[in-house]
Amino acid sequence: MRLDVETTRAGPGCLLVLLCLLLGCLAMPARALVLSASDGVGRGVQLSGALEIQRDPSGRWRIADVARGAQRSGFAPLEGPVQEGFGRDAVWLRFSLARTADAPARWLLRVRPPRIHEATLYAPDGRGGFVETPLGDARPFAAREIPDHNFVFPLDLPTEPAVYFLRLRNDGPSLRAELDLWQPLGFERDRTADYATMGVLLGAALLAVCMNLIFGAWLRDGLYAHYALYVLCIAALSVNRQGFAAQWFLDDRPERVAQTLLAVNCFFNMVGTAFMSRIFQFRRHWPPAAYFFNAVVVFNFAAFVLALAGHHAAVATWVSAGSTASTLFGAVFACYLLFVRRQFQYLLPASAFAVGTVLGLYGLLKLWFGDRVPGVAPDRIYWLGTMFHLILLNVAVADRTRRAERDFRAERERVLAVRLEAEQALEGTVARRTAELQQTNAALHEEIAARARLEARLRESLEVERQAIAQQREFVSMVSHEFRTPLTVIDGAAQSLDISKLGAEPVVKQRTERIRRAVQRLTMLIENILLADRLQPENRTLRIEALDMAALARGLCESFHFPGASRLVLDVHEPLSRVRGDRALLEIALQNLMQNALKYSPPEQPVHVVLRQTDNTVQVDVIDRGPGVAPADAARIFEKYFRAETASAVAGTGLGLHLSREIAIRHGGDVVLHETGTGGSTFRLAIPAAPLGPGA
């Protein structure tokens, strides 16, 4: 009862105390982490399992809200590190720390990786409030109390459990955080190892760049320069991912840290994607794979430009998704080349990319599950993966050089063998051809001698033939001249008989006409023979003068003694220019055309002789009403001595049309068969008109 009375008397005060204790219990984490003197020296103490998390979608909560306000009860236990993805929500972490009496009071809380935009620690001040320590890549590096590439918060731990709050937020990149505690001495050792590892990585990268640039210059292969650029990109990406860029280059430009990281990442994706496509020869094995990687390069270039323009927060998610897709595609295609196509020369580069990928996945598992996954810390895994990737890839590129040298030597030996074989074959061929050439030369000398003898005989034969032709021409000319006198006498006698009293008798008149026709045919034949002799190349001398073709044709029509000459009808189209030519030759050409038309036209049908001028040409058309020229004979009627089968019943020598054309050609013109058919034929004589001038 005393207890009840005392309780009743002290009821309000006791209830207040109990309420405060209850609120304190609610605000305290489920389990406090107690640190001893041996912790945080050889390795950091992971806070995995001692953290509670609560997400702030609005990003406006204050420490009072989460420590004593409405949000104090919203924390949930967190197993492993913080892994929030690409959201922009703020994250509050709560944890309780204490130390043993023999442990030092000074501790360091390290938050990794150094790619967090805002990281603010709220440590209890012992008076019910909190001391705020803001860090993150949004703040200048010079403002950090502990100058390290990671985010390091100094802590003074009490021996009794104290509650700490940590607010994290990213603006675009994936939010991932791992917390560990160190004693200052252990932290210095670990930081020295970090910087030494980075120095080794940068030194190895510089050595690889120099070696590959030298190899590229020696071998004149652009792949080595491409690999050197790839190594530089890996080094630059490592410097940025591990936070060294903020310390070394951007210590007073914190707003550029996230932007620079994404820009370097995009540039690395461009160079690495192109290098992977090139070293695995995607274009040769499957062009669509090369097109896909080219598209990835273009996408990363666009993201690179956007990052430089200040839009890095908006494109960070897409860059990460594109990198994942291209990496998976490259891995699948490399497996296809190795296990399906049996292209084992790609085993070393595939191993290099596989080691980097596998160690990267292992680092993620280690980051997610903490100490439940055996092995070193995730950042150490990243360093290890990068080093192994560079070493294996450098070996792969060197192996490519070895294989190229081996192939070159094999090809050179093959070329030398082929060259030796070709030289031996060439020597045998030269010897054989030399013997054949000697035999051919001997035969050629004999043939030349034989041809010389034949040429001499041919000259003799040609000389004999030339003399025979000259004698023949002389004989023909003499006979033709001798024939003219008796033919003139016969024609004169026939004319005298025709005009005598006896010429009126029908029988006498008929016979005198036959005599005169025969005399006319013989005269034309003699004229054509003499003209053919005159048109020979050695006798081609023209007596050129200005001629009126209309007057010449009119005179021929009036004085023509060929039977049926009265059927000639002359039609002249004025004006008509003069021509320059040999009167005698042009008269013979027209006589032959007229005589040819009169011979093949029916006795009752007229023969039209039409003269006209077309442009600078005087044309004479001789139109008959004969049976026409057969198509098979049209191409040959101007040949010397040619007579068609249809003309066998008509007397002739086959010289008239040939001589007419030769005369026209000698005057710069021509004679053609203009029209032909069953209703008759038209032969056209064309002569160039004489130019106007004093001598025209």
mmCIF file of all heavy atoms in Angstrom, residues 122-143:
data_model
loop_
_atom_site.group_PDB
_atom_site.id
_atom_site.type_symbol
_atom_site.label_atom_id
_atom_site.label_comp_id
_atom_site.label_asym_id
_atom_site.label_seq_id
_atom_site.Cartn_x
_atom_site.Cartn_y
_atom_site.Cartn_z
ATOM 1 N N TYR A 122 24.509 14.489 -38.147
ATOM 2 C CA TYR A 122 23.982 15.161 -36.965
ATOM 3 C C TYR A 122 24.426 14.345 -35.747
ATOM 4 O O TYR A 122 23.929 13.231 -35.504
ATOM 5 C CB TYR A 122 22.458 15.252 -37.016
ATOM 6 C CG TYR A 122 21.964 16.111 -38.169
ATOM 7 C CD1 TYR A 122 21.664 15.535 -39.404
ATOM 8 C CD2 TYR A 122 21.804 17.486 -38.017
ATOM 9 C CE1 TYR A 122 21.211 16.306 -40.462
ATOM 10 C CE2 TYR A 122 21.353 18.258 -39.075
ATOM 11 C CZ TYR A 122 21.063 17.676 -40.301
ATOM 12 O OH TYR A 122 20.613 18.435 -41.347
ATOM 13 N N ALA A 123 25.386 14.904 -35.027
ATOM 14 C CA ALA A 123 25.924 14.234 -33.837
ATOM 15 C C ALA A 123 25.384 14.914 -32.580
ATOM 16 O O ALA A 123 25.251 16.152 -32.534
ATOM 17 C CB ALA A 123 27.450 14.287 -33.844
ATOM 18 N N PRO A 124 25.037 14.143 -31.534
ATOM 19 C CA PRO A 124 24.500 14.756 -30.300
ATOM 20 C C PRO A 124 25.558 15.632 -29.626
ATOM 21 O O PRO A 124 26.748 15.303 -29.616
ATOM 22 C CB PRO A 124 24.129 13.544 -29.437
ATOM 23 C CG PRO A 124 24.955 12.422 -29.962
ATOM 24 C CD PRO A 124 25.125 12.685 -31.434
ATOM 25 N N ASP A 125 25.081 16.760 -29.138
ATOM 26 C CA ASP A 125 26.013 17.698 -28.496
ATOM 27 C C ASP A 125 26.073 17.538 -26.975
ATOM 28 O O ASP A 125 26.772 18.296 -26.290
ATOM 29 C CB ASP A 125 25.657 19.140 -28.841
ATOM 30 C CG ASP A 125 24.240 19.501 -28.418
ATOM 31 O OD1 ASP A 125 23.555 18.634 -27.820
ATOM 32 O OD2 ASP A 125 23.807 20.639 -28.696
ATOM 33 N N GLY A 126 25.313 16.562 -26.420
ATOM 34 C CA GLY A 126 25.307 16.328 -24.972
ATOM 35 C C GLY A 126 24.339 17.201 -24.220
ATOM 36 O O GLY A 126 24.152 17.037 -23.010
ATOM 37 N N ARG A 127 23.689 18.145 -24.903
ATOM 38 C CA ARG A 127 22.731 19.047 -24.250
ATOM 39 C C ARG A 127 21.336 18.913 -24.859
ATOM 40 O O ARG A 127 20.520 19.810 -24.763
ATOM 41 C CB ARG A 127 23.209 20.492 -24.369
ATOM 42 C CG ARG A 127 24.567 20.744 -23.702
ATOM 43 C CD ARG A 127 24.922 22.229 -23.740
ATOM 44 N NE ARG A 127 25.005 22.720 -25.095
ATOM 45 C CZ ARG A 127 26.110 22.645 -25.831
ATOM 46 N NH1 ARG A 127 27.201 22.074 -25.337
ATOM 47 N NH2 ARG A 127 26.132 23.121 -27.052
ATOM 48 N N GLY A 128 21.082 17.785 -25.508
ATOM 49 C CA GLY A 128 19.781 17.560 -26.126
ATOM 50 C C GLY A 128 19.699 18.045 -27.553
ATOM 51 O O GLY A 128 18.676 17.879 -28.214
ATOM 52 N N GLY A 129 20.743 18.647 -28.073
ATOM 53 C CA GLY A 129 20.750 19.116 -29.458
ATOM 54 C C GLY A 129 21.726 18.311 -30.310
ATOM 55 O O GLY A 129 22.247 17.263 -29.907
ATOM 56 N N PHE A 130 21.968 18.823 -31.513
ATOM 57 C CA PHE A 130 22.828 18.111 -32.455
ATOM 58 C C PHE A 130 23.808 19.091 -33.100
ATOM 59 O O PHE A 130 23.480 20.260 -33.338
ATOM 60 C CB PHE A 130 22.003 17.425 -33.559
ATOM 61 C CG PHE A 130 21.144 16.303 -33.060
ATOM 62 C CD1 PHE A 130 19.853 16.544 -32.607
ATOM 63 C CD2 PHE A 130 21.629 15.009 -33.022
ATOM 64 C CE1 PHE A 130 19.062 15.505 -32.147
ATOM 65 C CE2 PHE A 130 20.846 13.974 -32.569
ATOM 66 C CZ PHE A 130 19.559 14.214 -32.116
ATOM 67 N N VAL A 131 25.011 18.547 -33.405
ATOM 68 C CA VAL A 131 26.020 19.314 -34.136
ATOM 69 C C VAL A 131 25.962 18.883 -35.605
ATOM 70 O O VAL A 131 26.104 17.696 -35.921
ATOM 71 C CB VAL A 131 27.424 19.069 -33.559
ATOM 72 C CG1 VAL A 131 28.474 19.811 -34.381
ATOM 73 C CG2 VAL A 131 27.471 19.505 -32.099
ATOM 74 N N GLU A 132 25.741 19.833 -36.479
ATOM 75 C CA GLU A 132 25.580 19.543 -37.918
ATOM 76 C C GLU A 132 26.931 19.666 -38.624
ATOM 77 O O GLU A 132 27.606 20.686 -38.510
ATOM 78 C CB GLU A 132 24.572 20.506 -38.536
ATOM 79 C CG GLU A 132 24.369 20.298 -40.031
ATOM 80 C CD GLU A 132 23.348 21.288 -40.596
ATOM 81 O OE1 GLU A 132 22.629 21.905 -39.795
ATOM 82 O OE2 GLU A 132 23.301 21.447 -41.816
ATOM 83 N N THR A 133 27.294 18.604 -39.386
ATOM 84 C CA THR A 133 28.533 18.615 -40.180
ATOM 85 C C THR A 133 28.175 18.289 -41.633
ATOM 86 O O THR A 133 27.920 17.130 -41.971
ATOM 87 C CB THR A 133 29.539 17.576 -39.651
ATOM 88 O OG1 THR A 133 29.770 17.819 -38.255
ATOM 89 C CG2 THR A 133 30.840 17.662 -40.426
ATOM 90 N N PRO A 134 28.077 19.292 -42.502
ATOM 91 C CA PRO A 134 27.698 19.045 -43.910
ATOM 92 C C PRO A 134 28.925 18.707 -44.774
ATOM 93 O O PRO A 134 29.954 19.374 -44.712
ATOM 94 C CB PRO A 134 27.073 20.372 -44.341
ATOM 95 C CG PRO A 134 27.783 21.386 -43.502
ATOM 96 C CD PRO A 134 28.142 20.728 -42.199
ATOM 97 N N LEU A 135 28.790 17.653 -45.566
ATOM 98 C CA LEU A 135 29.784 17.281 -46.579
ATOM 99 C C LEU A 135 29.053 16.921 -47.872
ATOM 100 O O LEU A 135 27.869 17.186 -48.023
ATOM 101 C CB LEU A 135 30.644 16.102 -46.079
ATOM 102 C CG LEU A 135 31.628 16.389 -44.946
ATOM 103 C CD1 LEU A 135 32.361 15.118 -44.552
ATOM 104 C CD2 LEU A 135 32.631 17.462 -45.354
ATOM 105 N N GLY A 136 29.770 16.302 -48.793
ATOM 106 C CA GLY A 136 29.198 15.937 -50.098
ATOM 107 C C GLY A 136 29.931 16.639 -51.224
ATOM 108 O O GLY A 136 30.648 17.627 -51.001
ATOM 109 N N ASP A 137 29.729 16.119 -52.428
ATOM 110 C CA ASP A 137 30.458 16.721 -53.551
ATOM 111 C C ASP A 137 29.885 18.065 -53.969
ATOM 112 O O ASP A 137 30.397 18.707 -54.881
ATOM 113 C CB ASP A 137 30.506 15.751 -54.738
ATOM 114 C CG ASP A 137 29.124 15.408 -55.275
ATOM 115 O OD1 ASP A 137 28.160 16.134 -54.973
ATOM 116 O OD2 ASP A 137 29.015 14.401 -56.005
ATOM 117 N N ALA A 138 28.790 18.491 -53.332
ATOM 118 C CA ALA A 138 28.254 19.825 -53.609
ATOM 119 C C ALA A 138 28.980 20.907 -52.827
ATOM 120 O O ALA A 138 28.736 22.095 -53.033
ATOM 121 C CB ALA A 138 26.757 19.870 -53.298
ATOM 122 N N ARG A 139 29.850 20.504 -51.905
ATOM 123 C CA ARG A 139 30.582 21.466 -51.097
ATOM 124 C C ARG A 139 32.052 21.447 -51.494
ATOM 125 O O ARG A 139 32.581 20.412 -51.929
ATOM 126 C CB ARG A 139 30.432 21.139 -49.607
ATOM 127 C CG ARG A 139 28.990 21.268 -49.118
ATOM 128 C CD ARG A 139 28.915 20.969 -47.628
ATOM 129 N NE ARG A 139 29.714 21.924 -46.854
ATOM 130 C CZ ARG A 139 29.309 23.125 -46.481
ATOM 131 N NH1 ARG A 139 28.100 23.541 -46.821
ATOM 132 N NH2 ARG A 139 30.102 23.925 -45.778
ATOM 133 N N PRO A 140 32.762 22.574 -51.370
ATOM 134 C CA PRO A 140 34.175 22.609 -51.761
ATOM 135 C C PRO A 140 35.011 21.626 -50.947
ATOM 136 O O PRO A 140 34.760 21.380 -49.765
ATOM 137 C CB PRO A 140 34.589 24.059 -51.485
ATOM 138 C CG PRO A 140 33.312 24.824 -51.430
ATOM 139 C CD PRO A 140 32.268 23.885 -50.918
ATOM 140 N N PHE A 141 35.992 21.071 -51.604
ATOM 141 C CA PHE A 141 36.864 20.121 -50.930
ATOM 142 C C PHE A 141 37.636 20.799 -49.803
ATOM 143 O O PHE A 141 37.928 20.184 -48.772
ATOM 144 C CB PHE A 141 37.831 19.499 -51.951
ATOM 145 C CG PHE A 141 38.700 18.426 -51.375
ATOM 146 C CD1 PHE A 141 38.258 17.112 -51.320
ATOM 147 C CD2 PHE A 141 39.971 18.719 -50.874
ATOM 148 C CE1 PHE A 141 39.051 16.113 -50.782
ATOM 149 C CE2 PHE A 141 40.768 17.730 -50.336
ATOM 150 C CZ PHE A 141 40.310 16.415 -50.284
ATOM 151 N N ALA A 142 37.957 22.076 -49.976
ATOM 152 C CA ALA A 142 38.737 22.785 -48.952
ATOM 153 C C ALA A 142 37.978 22.921 -47.643
ATOM 154 O O ALA A 142 38.575 23.157 -46.587
ATOM 155 C CB ALA A 142 39.136 24.170 -49.471
ATOM 156 N N ALA A 143 36.623 22.761 -47.701
ATOM 157 C CA ALA A 143 35.823 22.899 -46.487
ATOM 158 C C ALA A 143 35.807 21.630 -45.651
ATOM 159 O O ALA A 143 35.226 21.615 -44.559
ATOM 160 C CB ALA A 143 34.392 23.303 -46.844
#
